[in-house]
Amino acid sequence: MADDTPALLRQVESIAALAALRGWIDEKEQAFVMDFETGGYRSQRVLVRVVARGPGGKAMISIQSPARFIATRWFRRLSRTEALRLLHENESLRFARYGLVSTPKGMVVMVSCDLMLETLDAEELRVHAYAVANAADRYEAQFGGDQF
């Protein structure tokens, strides 16, 4: 993919402005970043990244929010029960999904959804960003945290 990521993130930023969503472009993360208040003094960070090219070479974005960090030390991993629970919860989510992202220090339970940027409108961005933020926050709250 040609590195047109900065221009595509500016496009996301423009759509977010039309949706009355505040955020900023983080060049290091190569993402458009938004913070959401999720109620009860809780908040959730959401990142929009350009992730691939879809049909016809059109840019695809991923709206993502980390929900839990799991260090991969010998005594702490995602249990089989927890993995199965995430799979079952994926069935009930309508605008997002759970997944695992590997990092050098562990795994992140990530809530995300993927969309075509070319057809993305303001209302669609708002609905999906809030859905991802709320799903991630609900999962994170189950473990007593508000890290993200």
Side-chain angles (χ1 to χ4, degrees):
M1 171 165 55
D3 196 12
D4 54 355
T5 298
L8 295 171
L9 290 176
R10 285 191 298 277
Q11 187 177 346
V12 171
E13 184 177 42
S14 296
I15 296 167
L18 293 172
L21 296 172
R22 294 185 193 191
W24 66 96
I25 294 174
D26 184 323
E27 292 177 12
K28 181 180 173 195
E29 290 286 330
Q30 291 194 330
F32 179 73
V33 181
M34 299 173 281
D35 288 327
F36 289 87
E37 297 297 322
T38 54
Y41 302 104
R42 298 183 58 80
S43 63
Q44 196 68 32
R45 178 152 290 177
V46 173
L47 299 95
V48 180
R49 291 190 165 105
V50 179
V51 293
R53 292 288 179 175
K58 296 176 181 158
M60 293 184 66
I61 61 166
S62 184
I63 301 173
Q64 309 171 333
S65 186
R68 182 178 177 206
F69 176 74
I70 303 166
T72 51
R73 292 173 266 166
W74 65 271
F75 58 87
R76 188 171 180 209
R77 295 186 186 267
L78 186 69
S79 71
R80 179 180 185 275
T81 302
E82 185 63 22
L84 288 173
R85 191 168 73 94
L86 284 173
L87 284 173
H88 286 288
E89 285 190 30
N90 272 343
E91 249 334 278
S92 67
L93 292 177
R94 296 294 168 241
F95 297 106
R97 69 177 177 277
Y98 291 103
L100 298 174
V101 177
S102 294
T103 72
K105 295 182 179 182
M107 291 185 299
V108 176
V109 175
M110 187 76 72
V111 179
S112 63
C113 72
D114 301 329
L115 303 162
M116 298 295 292
L117 180 56
E118 181 179 68
T119 60
L120 184 68
D121 64 32
E123 184 62 18
E124 185 178 21
L125 177 61
R126 180 186 10 256
V127 166
H128 284 85
Y130 273 103
V132 166
N134 285 314
D137 189 62
R138 278 192 310 272
Y139 184 81
E140 185 181 27
Q142 294 174 23
F143 298 93
D146 192 17
Q147 180 179 357
F148 304 105

